[in-house]
Amino acid sequence: TTTKAEEVGQCNVPLLDAFFPDDYFERLNFTGRYYRAAESKPAFRAALDTIPWLPDMIMIFAGVDSHKDDCGKGITDWDNADFQQLVRWVREIAARASCPVLMIPGGGYKVPVTVAANLSQIEALANPSP
């Protein structure tokens, strides 16, 4: 649940697909806050800003099935620029903590989308400024 993840300092931003009603997880007795696509980036940023410790290393599994042109339509609605922004936010924490970032490019279901999104993330990791 999101509640348990928050208790141990995880950056957990669970998303609720546009097809489900707002109380979907509540009816399943899942606790915590769930977010819609429009809330996803601000929620991710807020979660990063409230991590209660500085990491020694940050590891990102950079899956891209949440891309709007893959499976993410109505869930995140993220595009390549959004993925780059997320990586830049993580780099900010890494800079504050003086720690390395290890990113493992992840998959999606549509190869052209996966390749383009992974390249955009790698670019943001290599070049923190837009």
Side-chain angles (χ1 to χ4, degrees):
T1 67
T2 63
T3 305
K4 291 296 180 189
E6 289 170 1
E7 287 174 5
V8 296
Q10 288 183 1
C11 180
N12 188 21
V13 182
L15 302 174
L16 184 59
D17 190 299
F19 298 108
F20 294 108
D22 288 340
D23 66 344
Y24 177 76
F25 286 116
E26 184 179 313
R27 287 189 272 158
L28 296 174
N29 294 317
F30 289 174
T31 60
R33 174 95 198 272
Y34 294 83
Y35 301 89
R36 296 292 186 173
E39 302 170 304
S40 63
K41 281 181 36 186
F44 185 83
R45 179 61 194 228
L48 290 176
D49 289 343
T50 59
I51 291 174
W53 37 262
L54 286 177
D56 296 321
M57 176 184 210
I58 297 173
M59 297 180 356
I60 304 170
F61 176 73
V64 295
D65 55 338
S66 56
H67 194 287
K68 69 180 181 71
D69 295 331
D70 200 303
C71 296
K73 187 166 180 63
I75 301 171
T76 65
D77 292 330
W78 292 344
D79 59 19
N80 293 348
D82 294 320
F83 281 108
Q84 288 182 324
Q85 184 62 62
L86 298 172
V87 170
R88 286 188 187 99
W89 288 338
V90 169
R91 280 194 58 131
E92 289 174 11
I93 292 174
R96 277 197 317 261
S98 297
C99 74
V101 177
L102 170 66
M103 185 176 78
I104 301 167
Y109 294 93
K110 297 179 179 176
V111 173
V113 175
T114 297
V115 170
N118 283 160
L119 288 174
S120 72
Q121 291 173 315
I122 291 167
E123 180 183 335
L125 190 59
N127 304 301
S129 300

